PDB file of all heavy atoms in Angstrom:
ATOM      1  N   LEU Z   2     112.851 137.977 133.304  1.00 64.00           N
ATOM      2  CA  LEU Z   2     112.001 137.602 132.181  1.00 64.00           C
ATOM      3  C   LEU Z   2     111.156 136.402 132.560  1.00 64.00           C
ATOM      4  O   LEU Z   2     111.666 135.392 133.006  1.00 64.00           O
ATOM      5  CB  LEU Z   2     112.891 137.265 130.978  1.00 64.00           C
ATOM      6  CG  LEU Z   2     112.210 136.851 129.689  1.00 64.00           C
ATOM      7  CD1 LEU Z   2     111.416 138.012 129.107  1.00 64.00           C
ATOM      8  CD2 LEU Z   2     113.242 136.373 128.695  1.00 64.00           C
ATOM      9  N   PHE Z  48     127.851 144.554 119.090  1.00 92.00           N
ATOM     10  CA  PHE Z  48     128.132 143.891 117.819  1.00 92.00           C
ATOM     11  C   PHE Z  48     129.409 144.361 117.129  1.00 92.00           C
ATOM     12  O   PHE Z  48     129.717 143.920 116.024  1.00 92.00           O
ATOM     13  CB  PHE Z  48     126.935 144.050 116.872  1.00 92.00           C
ATOM     14  CG  PHE Z  48     125.669 143.474 117.431  1.00 92.00           C
ATOM     15  CD1 PHE Z  48     124.662 144.304 117.906  1.00 92.00           C
ATOM     16  CD2 PHE Z  48     125.490 142.098 117.496  1.00 92.00           C
ATOM     17  CE1 PHE Z  48     123.484 143.766 118.425  1.00 92.00           C
ATOM     18  CE2 PHE Z  48     124.329 141.550 118.021  1.00 92.00           C
ATOM     19  CZ  PHE Z  48     123.326 142.390 118.495  1.00 92.00           C
ATOM     20  N   ASN Z  49     130.135 145.296 117.755  1.00 92.00           N
ATOM     21  CA  ASN Z  49     131.409 145.790 117.243  1.00 92.00           C
ATOM     22  C   ASN Z  49     131.294 146.397 115.842  1.00 92.00           C
ATOM     23  O   ASN Z  49     132.127 146.179 114.976  1.00 92.00           O
ATOM     24  CB  ASN Z  49     132.467 144.683 117.261  1.00 92.00           C
ATOM     25  CG  ASN Z  49     133.874 145.239 117.160  1.00 92.00           C
ATOM     26  OD1 ASN Z  49     134.137 146.354 117.599  1.00 92.00           O
ATOM     27  ND2 ASN Z  49     134.771 144.471 116.573  1.00 92.00           N
ATOM     28  N   THR Z  50     130.212 147.132 115.615  1.00 90.00           N
ATOM     29  CA  THR Z  50     130.034 147.855 114.358  1.00 90.00           C
ATOM     30  C   THR Z  50     129.416 149.207 114.677  1.00 90.00           C
ATOM     31  O   THR Z  50     128.563 149.303 115.552  1.00 90.00           O
ATOM     32  CB  THR Z  50     129.162 147.068 113.357  1.00 90.00           C
ATOM     33  OG1 THR Z  50     129.084 147.810 112.130  1.00 90.00           O
ATOM     34  CG2 THR Z  50     127.777 146.803 113.870  1.00 90.00           C
ATOM     35  N   ILE Z  68     115.320 140.517 112.995  1.00 98.00           N
ATOM     36  CA  ILE Z  68     115.985 140.709 111.708  1.00 98.00           C
ATOM     37  C   ILE Z  68     116.665 142.078 111.672  1.00 98.00           C
ATOM     38  O   ILE Z  68     116.009 143.110 111.776  1.00 98.00           O
ATOM     39  CB  ILE Z  68     114.982 140.560 110.553  1.00 98.00           C
ATOM     40  CG1 ILE Z  68     114.336 139.167 110.622  1.00 98.00           C
ATOM     41  CG2 ILE Z  68     115.680 140.779 109.219  1.00 98.00           C
ATOM     42  CD1 ILE Z  68     113.264 138.927 109.591  1.00 98.00           C
ATOM     43  N   PHE Z  69     117.988 142.052 111.526  1.00 97.00           N
ATOM     44  CA  PHE Z  69     118.802 143.254 111.464  1.00 97.00           C
ATOM     45  C   PHE Z  69     119.038 143.602 109.999  1.00 97.00           C
ATOM     46  O   PHE Z  69     119.403 142.731 109.205  1.00 97.00           O
ATOM     47  CB  PHE Z  69     120.157 143.025 112.139  1.00 97.00           C
ATOM     48  CG  PHE Z  69     120.076 142.834 113.631  1.00 97.00           C
ATOM     49  CD1 PHE Z  69     119.597 141.646 114.176  1.00 97.00           C
ATOM     50  CD2 PHE Z  69     120.483 143.837 114.493  1.00 97.00           C
ATOM     51  CE1 PHE Z  69     119.515 141.465 115.538  1.00 97.00           C
ATOM     52  CE2 PHE Z  69     120.409 143.672 115.869  1.00 97.00           C
ATOM     53  CZ  PHE Z  69     119.925 142.480 116.391  1.00 97.00           C
ATOM     54  N   GLN Z  99     108.903 134.241  92.934  1.00 96.00           N
ATOM     55  CA  GLN Z  99     109.504 135.524  93.326  1.00 96.00           C
ATOM     56  C   GLN Z  99     110.994 135.587  93.002  1.00 96.00           C
ATOM     57  O   GLN Z  99     111.650 136.571  93.306  1.00 96.00           O
ATOM     58  CB  GLN Z  99     109.284 135.770  94.820  1.00 96.00           C
ATOM     59  CG  GLN Z  99     107.828 135.946  95.212  1.00 96.00           C
ATOM     60  CD  GLN Z  99     107.226 137.220  94.638  1.00 96.00           C
ATOM     61  OE1 GLN Z  99     107.918 138.199  94.396  1.00 96.00           O
ATOM     62  NE2 GLN Z  99     105.926 137.195  94.411  1.00 96.00           N
ATOM     63  N   GLU Z 125     115.392 125.742 105.759  1.00 97.00           N
ATOM     64  CA  GLU Z 125     115.000 124.373 105.445  1.00 97.00           C
ATOM     65  C   GLU Z 125     113.527 124.261 105.792  1.00 97.00           C
ATOM     66  O   GLU Z 125     113.121 124.549 106.920  1.00 97.00           O
ATOM     67  CB  GLU Z 125     115.834 123.407 106.290  1.00 97.00           C
ATOM     68  CG  GLU Z 125     115.508 121.958 106.077  1.00 97.00           C
ATOM     69  CD  GLU Z 125     116.385 121.044 106.923  1.00 97.00           C
ATOM     70  OE1 GLU Z 125     117.368 121.511 107.549  1.00 97.00           O
ATOM     71  OE2 GLU Z 125     116.089 119.848 106.930  1.00 97.00           O
ATOM     72  N   ILE Z 129     104.762 119.515 108.117  1.00 88.00           N
ATOM     73  CA  ILE Z 129     104.267 119.118 109.440  1.00 88.00           C
ATOM     74  C   ILE Z 129     103.636 117.740 109.302  1.00 88.00           C
ATOM     75  O   ILE Z 129     102.799 117.510 108.423  1.00 88.00           O
ATOM     76  CB  ILE Z 129     103.229 120.124 109.982  1.00 88.00           C
ATOM     77  CG1 ILE Z 129     103.923 121.462 110.291  1.00 88.00           C
ATOM     78  CG2 ILE Z 129     102.529 119.565 111.217  1.00 88.00           C
ATOM     79  CD1 ILE Z 129     102.966 122.568 110.688  1.00 88.00           C
ATOM     80  N   ASP Z 131     101.239 114.946 110.739  1.00 71.00           N
ATOM     81  CA  ASP Z 131     100.141 114.708 111.680  1.00 71.00           C
ATOM     82  C   ASP Z 131     100.343 113.352 112.335  1.00 71.00           C
ATOM     83  O   ASP Z 131     100.794 112.401 111.703  1.00 71.00           O
ATOM     84  CB  ASP Z 131      98.783 114.746 110.954  1.00 71.00           C
ATOM     85  CG  ASP Z 131      98.457 116.153 110.483  1.00 71.00           C
ATOM     86  OD1 ASP Z 131      98.724 117.107 111.233  1.00 71.00           O
ATOM     87  OD2 ASP Z 131      97.950 116.292 109.358  1.00 71.00           O
TER      88      ASP Z 131
END
Side-chain angles (χ1 to χ4, degrees):
L2 180 66
F48 301 106
N49 198 29
T50 183
I68 302 176
F69 292 74
Q99 295 293 332
E125 179 179 351
I129 292 174
D131 291 320

